[in-house]
Amino acid sequence: MARQSHDTGYKEVFSYPEFVQQLIEGFMPPEIAQIMDFRTLKNHSGNYITPLFKEKFEDVVWSVEVTWEGMRQRVYLYILLEFQSKVDLAMPIRLMHYVACFYDHLLKKKEARLKEGLPPVLPIVLYNGSRPWTAKTDMYDLLQPEPPAFLRVYQPHLRYYLVEERRYTDAELSLKSTPLSGMFGIENAGDSWESLQGAVDRIVAVIQANPDKERIDRVITRWIKRHLIRLGAEVDLERLNSLIEDKDMLAENLENLVKKERLQGEQIGIQKGRMETMRETARKLIAMNILTDAQIAQASGLPEEEVKALHSGIKH
């Protein structure tokens, strides 16, 4: 069965080199960013995947020149945007297949030649799910039990670097102070409108401080509109064309959602309190051992089935 996916808007975001740079510099080991010349970033995104995996997914491919030990070489960044509700335990297998297909593409397009050797690929998985990521990050680790020593050298290895948004606190994200970290903050706010309002305020401040704020504003605004649609927010998105210019309008909408969320919470609390009072009344009448279950139900307001359950010692 194909896995469910949705348009997160991140693919458009990562079509811009500055967001790729923010991902590498802000969320990956510093030694990786230090050897990269981000001025040489080049977009290679396309459809390289065979029908082996039929689910829809979002990915972007960039290349960048790196320098180490006096050598300069181009490295490909294969960024997989894994925004599913369920952790995919087969991720190492999928990425091994994706990278192999990408190499096949490079050979067919004569962008690489086997005689000269294949270029390195750095697989990156960006995950925004609410559940902790539990999939193995290396293909070899899927082999259980571990093969005997004489077989290990023949087993496949492919490791990917995981960027799991939920692992970063608001304090950590605020220290990075980039549009991408602001987006992670909005994602981590979940469907709490009050937290979302605070996260939006922070990202607006980050955008306003950016020298290229008009273009960044357009990109982030399109992304946040998709995000609000996924959350089911009752916001007039037709009027939202700029986070900077329409900040007050969006804040008003989010404030109304906060009030609605609180009201619903209060109503749920009141209803729970009433139900517990009714159950306590029923328990006292049951203890008197005078009335029938039907009479107790009428007196307490509980359904007769629940009174019978309480009578039998079953708690609900």
Side-chain angles (χ1 to χ4, degrees):
M1 180 181 294
R3 288 152 47 79
Q4 296 300 313
S5 184
H6 47 248
D7 179 13
T8 64
Y10 266 107
K11 189 161 187 174
E12 179 193 357
V13 168
F14 283 111
S15 67
Y16 294 92
E18 58 263 51
F19 286 96
V20 177
Q21 182 173 350
Q22 289 168 30
L23 178 67
I24 303 298
E25 289 185 325
F27 300 95
M28 297 190 68
E31 58 267 23
I32 293 178
Q34 288 170 1
I35 64 172
M36 291 185 174
D37 182 355
F38 292 107
R39 297 170 299 177
T40 66
L41 277 169
K42 183 178 179 182
N43 195 330
H44 300 268
S45 298
N47 184 15
Y48 312 114
I49 310 305
T50 68
L52 178 61
F53 289 92
K54 300 182 186 302
E55 79 277 4
K56 294 180 180 179
F57 64 95
E58 293 183 315
D59 66 340
V60 289
V61 181
W62 286 79
S63 68
V64 63
E65 290 186 6
V66 300
T67 303
W68 76 97
E69 296 183 355
M71 297 177 57
R72 194 168 181 87
Q73 186 176 10
R74 185 160 288 273
V75 171
Y76 288 87
L77 310 174
Y78 191 104
I79 306 172
L80 183 65
L81 309 173
E82 182 66 5
F83 295 159
Q84 314 288 346
S85 59
K86 185 178 180 181
V87 175
D88 186 2
L89 298 179
M91 180 56 71
I93 303 173
R94 285 176 59 196
L95 269 172
M96 186 169 64
H97 175 67
Y98 296 165
V99 171
C101 289
F102 179 66
Y103 274 135
D104 184 60
H105 164 81
L106 292 179
L107 292 172
K108 287 179 177 177
K109 295 293 183 180
K110 300 189 183 306
E111 295 179 26
R113 291 176 174 79
L114 290 176
K115 289 183 178 180
E116 300 171 1
L118 294 173
V121 172
L122 173 58
I124 304 167
V125 173
L126 177 59
Y127 173 64
N128 77 337
S130 58
R131 299 179 182 180
W133 185 259
T134 54
K136 302 293 186 183
T137 55
D138 193 322
M139 177 65 204
Y140 181 83
D141 293 333
L142 285 179
L143 305 177
Q144 297 296 332
E146 187 176 15
F150 74 93
L151 281 180
R152 290 173 196 166
V153 68
Y154 302 107
Q155 306 312 307
H157 284 266
L158 182 76
R159 179 177 292 275
Y160 59 89
Y161 189 86
L162 175 68
V163 178
E164 186 174 4
E165 290 183 12
R166 65 185 296 278
R167 291 178 51 201
Y168 299 95
T169 65
D170 283 345
E172 290 173 326
L173 292 173
S174 63
L175 289 175
K176 300 179 188 300
S177 191
T178 63
L180 185 61
S181 63
M183 293 165 68
F184 286 3
I186 289 174
E187 293 263 27
N188 287 344
D191 56 2
S192 167
W193 306 121
E194 193 164 18
S195 298
L196 184 60
Q197 186 174 9
V200 169
D201 289 341
R202 290 194 296 272
I203 198 172
V204 168
V206 170
I207 295 172
Q208 287 178 324
N210 193 295
D212 196 13
K213 66 180 180 181
E214 291 183 2
R215 184 170 64 87
I216 297 298
D217 181 31
R218 289 195 299 270
V219 175
I220 302 296
T221 300
R222 286 194 293 268
W223 172 84
I224 201 170
K225 288 173 75 169
R226 291 186 178 98
H227 182 68
L228 291 172
I229 289 172
R230 296 200 308 275
L231 291 180
E234 297 174 6
V235 177
D236 185 2
L237 296 178
E238 292 296 326
R239 295 171 54 204
L240 181 59
N241 298 305
S242 164
L243 275 183
I244 294 177
E245 296 178 5
D246 303 326
K247 175 187 174 184
D248 293 339
M249 181 273 291
L250 180 58
E252 181 181 352
N253 276 273
L254 292 176
E255 184 179 0
N256 291 335
L257 289 170
V258 169
K259 291 178 180 177
K260 182 179 178 181
E261 186 180 64
R262 287 176 178 169
L263 180 60
Q264 289 174 342
E266 290 171 0
Q267 290 173 340
I268 291 172
I270 292 171
Q271 184 63 23
K272 286 182 177 179
R274 286 175 179 170
M275 290 297 295
E276 188 52 42
T277 300
M278 292 160 64
R279 290 190 185 104
E280 184 60 27
T281 300
R283 291 188 188 101
K284 289 178 180 179
L285 293 173
I286 290 170
M288 293 172 65
N289 200 24
I290 298 174
L291 304 178
T292 65
D293 287 346
Q295 290 171 326
I296 294 172
Q298 186 175 5
S300 65
L302 285 176
E304 187 173 347
E305 293 78 10
E306 187 163 355
V307 173
K308 289 180 178 178
L310 287 172
H311 214 151
S312 302
I314 302 174
K315 296 181 180 180
H316 287 269

